[in-house]
Amino acid sequence: MGEAATTPAYAESFAEAADDFGVLGPQLWEPVSTATIVRTRPMPGERVLDACCGDGASALPTAELVGPEGHVDAVDAARAMIDRLVTRAGGDLPQLHPHVGDVLEWDEDGYDLVQCVLGVFFFDDPRAGARHLVELARPGGRVGLTVWAPGAIDALAEVLFEALLPHRPELADLDPDDASPVMRSAATPGALAVWMTGLGLVQVRADAVPRTLELTPELAWGFARGTGMRALFGDLGEETVEEVRTAYLAALAEREIERVDVGTLVGVGRRPE
């Protein structure tokens, strides 16, 4: 039943980041997921695929909304994330079915709703990966995709990049756009709607969800180690990572960066009947 056998390259970073990822849950992942499911509207009795589910920020409330007659397959490539999801669910949601694997190899289809919150960017080919997700929805089913808005977490990424350069000089050859989590082809609500229409969806609506988050040192470091930015660290040892942490937090304080942009874009469309 749809099990994905392989693990994509990005999964290792998120497996290592599970604890730091969790630090951001109440302030970041859960509000972003709430903004998504308000628009994807999981309904009682529906079958849902939650792709790149992390530790369940969108899968858990979705399972509550579909109720005991519904079914939610929550798929993530990082076992540590799925372990956290299972712990958070606490055995109280039998309609929630967690799976470890690459969602791009998931072959069960016919879902009333397929949703992916901040996951499409990590696919090697975001368009091909998103098209695969579309194909898993039933005719008439809904597909919801959430991506970062332009400017999201840019200030933190810039400061982290500078803190890492003395220890990883090879980063100087990295194109900043390649390290950005923003999908340049879907960087506005209109562009996201056009992009999703190009995947074969109809009746697409995309909204901007602006939001900023007040930073604490713990949250700022959580962004560095609990998001895709973690990949910038490479294989630095613990002592060096601590040096980076000190430099990073000091630079944030010096530049008086006290809030971070965490705006998103949410698009929802239907697969044609």
Side-chain angles (χ1 to χ4, degrees), residues 33-228:
S33 294
T34 297
T36 300
I37 62 177
V38 162
R39 291 162 173 82
T40 59
R41 299 180 62 194
M43 304 294 287
E46 287 192 321
R47 292 183 66 246
V48 180
L49 172 64
D50 192 299
C52 307
C53 65
D55 67 357
S58 54
L60 289 167
T62 295
E64 293 174 352
L65 289 168
V66 302
E69 301 303 315
H71 181 105
V72 177
D73 284 317
V75 181
D76 197 274
R79 178 170 296 278
M81 293 294 186
I82 294 297
D83 289 345
R84 285 181 57 89
L85 184 156
V86 171
T87 298
R88 294 181 66 199
D92 296 329
L93 295 168
Q95 64 270 34
L96 177 64
H97 302 270
H99 307 269
V100 178
D102 185 354
V103 75
L104 297 184
E105 295 186 359
W106 191 261
D107 59 9
E108 185 160 342
D109 57 13
Y111 290 98
D112 300 297
L113 168 62
V114 175
Q115 61 187 17
C116 184
V117 180
L118 300 178
V120 172
F121 169 77
F122 293 103
F123 299 155
D124 288 339
D125 184 337
R127 182 176 294 277
R131 186 173 290 113
H132 174 69
L133 297 183
V134 170
E135 292 170 352
L136 300 179
R138 66 168 175 81
R142 308 182 305 289
V143 176
L145 303 176
T146 300
V147 299
W148 289 113
I153 69 176
D154 276 358
L156 297 185
E158 179 181 343
V159 174
L160 178 64
F161 196 84
E162 292 175 4
L164 281 165
L165 268 178
H167 309 282
R168 296 201 66 206
E170 66 274 20
L171 290 178
D173 298 326
L174 181 67
D175 184 338
D177 285 340
D178 291 338
S180 170
V182 175
M183 289 175 53
R184 285 170 285 178
S185 57
T188 66
L192 177 59
V194 169
W195 192 81
M196 292 179 66
T197 300
L199 301 176
L201 296 169
V202 298
Q203 300 175 7
V204 179
R205 171 174 176 169
D207 298 323
V209 185
R211 187 165 176 266
T212 62
L213 180 62
E214 185 174 355
L215 287 174
T216 64
E218 181 184 36
L219 283 177
W221 189 238
F223 274 96
R225 298 292 284 172
T227 69

